[in-house]
């Protein structure tokens, strides 16, 4: 899972408007504009719970690290959500 998290983190960093932060566990914290809108748009396209807005952290969403296929779907949805 660590290799997939590193790969996913690197791919997230290539998306304009998304700034991944160093994270532990199975989640990656992303700095974004309009986090509630981003989370809502991504959740509409994917399984609820993959992206959430953490409490007490302004301007961020967190995304769960999953299998490569699901992570690619999340990447596509995030690209569209921040475009």
């Amino acid at each position: 899972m660590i290799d997939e998290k590193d790969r996913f983190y690197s791919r997230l960093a290539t998306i304009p408007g998304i700034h991944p932060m160093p994270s532990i566990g199975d989640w990656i914290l992303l700095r974004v504009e309009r986090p509630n809108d981003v989370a809502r748009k991504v959740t509409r396209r994917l399984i609820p719970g993959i992206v959430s807005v953490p409490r007490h952290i302004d301007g961020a969403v967190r995304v769960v690290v999953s299998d490569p296929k699901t992570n690619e779907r999340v990447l596509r949805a995030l690209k569209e959500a921040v475009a």
Side-chain angles (χ1 to χ4, degrees), residues 7-42:
R7 184 195 74 80
F8 188 42
Y9 184 97
S10 295
R11 297 284 310 274
L12 288 164
T14 67
I15 301 172
I18 292 180
H19 307 282
M21 307 295 289
S23 305
I24 59 172
D26 294 341
W27 292 88
I28 298 175
L29 187 69
L30 308 173
R31 292 279 179 195
V32 297
E33 291 186 26
R34 301 179 329 274
N36 289 321
D37 290 341
V38 170
R40 185 173 24 82
K41 288 176 182 177
V42 172

Side-chain angles (χ1 to χ4, degrees), residues 2-74:
I2 292 172
D3 290 338
E4 178 56 21
K5 183 176 181 179
D6 291 341
R7 184 195 74 80
F8 188 42
Y9 184 97
S10 295
R11 297 284 310 274
L12 288 164
T14 67
I15 301 172
I18 292 180
H19 307 282
M21 307 295 289
S23 305
I24 59 172
D26 294 341
W27 292 88
I28 298 175
L29 187 69
L30 308 173
R31 292 279 179 195
V32 297
E33 291 186 26
R34 301 179 329 274
N36 289 321
D37 290 341
V38 170
R40 185 173 24 82
K41 288 176 182 177
V42 172
T43 298
R44 282 184 191 160
R45 296 194 57 200
L46 303 172
I47 301 166
I50 285 186
V51 175
S52 62
V53 179
R55 296 175 193 223
H56 311 297
I57 303 176
D58 292 332
V61 296
R62 63 182 196 159
V63 60
V64 68
V65 179
S66 190
D67 60 273
K69 184 177 178 180
T70 302
N71 290 341
E72 288 301 314
R73 291 178 56 215
V74 172

